[in-house]
Amino acid sequence: QENVIIEVFDIFGIEKSIIINEDELEESYLKLQKVFHPDKFLNLTDKEKKISNVYSSKINELYKSLKNNTKRIDLILEKEGHKIKEIQDTYKNSEILEEIMDIQEEFMLAGDNNKNLVKKKIKKLIHNILIDTEKLYKNKSYDLVSKNNIKLSYLEKILKS
């Protein structure tokens, strides 16, 4: 049996892009799960059940990766043969580090009333970075795509805190 490399975006029938249509992704995910979910294989052989479990798990894993901005960008960069920058690379870039620390400090110091305002500001920043990253990707500026992805990672972590 030979290994077949399948493009993640093709599995879900969506365009390989930094910004995706999450409704299309979810619709495709649900269709795939209707086909491969282990509950559909209850009356079949153990081997077929095992295969179903593997496929269903892989579909779940890929869905979560595509739904997550930073993981999706990492997938795209990997497919383009670009080395993924590690978080520790941020410490070498004082500009990114300073920007993130300022936003994090603003968030931490915001009172309950202002936290939502800061969250809105962060969501807008994320949106703008995604738009910028899409343009950079189309221009094959992978180093800058990777740099933006590090910013995204930090901003999304701040939102979750």
Side-chain angles (χ1 to χ4, degrees):
Q1 186 176 7
E2 77 181 69
N3 285 337
V4 177
I5 299 174
I6 300 174
E7 176 62 51
V8 176
F9 291 87
D10 290 344
I11 291 170
F12 289 91
I14 61 173
E15 181 184 349
K16 182 167 72 171
S17 182
I18 301 296
I19 300 171
I20 61 168
N21 182 324
E22 288 190 23
D23 291 336
E24 281 181 25
L25 174 63
E26 184 167 354
E27 184 180 318
S28 179
Y29 166 74
L30 293 173
K31 284 180 183 175
L32 287 167
Q33 283 299 10
K34 281 183 183 177
V35 173
F36 293 105
H37 195 276
D39 288 350
K40 299 285 185 186
F41 293 78
L42 289 176
N43 297 325
L44 299 176
T45 66
D46 286 344
K47 183 178 180 181
E48 290 167 319
K49 289 178 191 176
K50 186 175 181 178
I51 291 170
S52 170
N53 276 323
V54 169
Y55 277 46
S56 185
S57 294
K58 192 65 175 174
I59 290 166
N60 284 335
E61 175 190 327
L62 295 174
Y63 172 72
K64 288 176 186 173
S65 292
L66 287 176
K67 201 162 167 61
N68 179 294
N69 290 324
T70 55
K71 288 181 182 178
R72 182 174 59 253
I73 293 170
D74 281 347
L75 283 171
I76 289 172
L77 288 172
E78 285 176 19
K79 289 289 182 191
E80 297 297 338
H82 187 77
K83 184 180 178 292
I84 306 300
K85 291 193 183 217
E86 302 296 328
I87 294 296
Q88 58 263 26
D89 292 339
T90 309
Y91 303 123
K92 298 173 191 168
N93 188 321
S94 59
E95 180 187 324
I96 292 177
L97 193 57
E98 194 173 313
E99 183 180 348
I100 296 302
M101 288 176 70
D102 287 345
I103 294 167
Q104 189 164 11
E105 182 179 8
E106 181 181 358
F107 183 76
M108 289 172 63
L109 295 176
D112 289 338
N113 294 337
N114 292 330
K115 274 231 195 289
N116 284 334
L117 290 174
V118 178
K119 280 185 177 185
K120 282 183 183 177
K121 177 182 172 182
I122 293 171
K123 286 178 184 177
K124 185 172 175 66
L125 269 171
I126 289 171
H127 176 75
N128 290 338
I129 290 171
L130 285 170
I131 290 171
D132 182 52
T133 305
E134 182 73 48
K135 290 176 190 170
L136 292 168
Y137 169 62
K138 287 180 179 176
N139 290 326
K140 300 183 187 295
S141 301
Y142 302 132
D143 281 335
L144 295 174
V145 168
S146 189
K147 184 178 173 182
N148 275 2
N149 202 29
I150 290 171
K151 281 187 201 177
L152 278 173
S153 174
Y154 278 111
L155 291 171
E156 289 176 346
K157 285 176 187 171
I158 293 170
L159 273 184
K160 290 179 183 177
S161 62

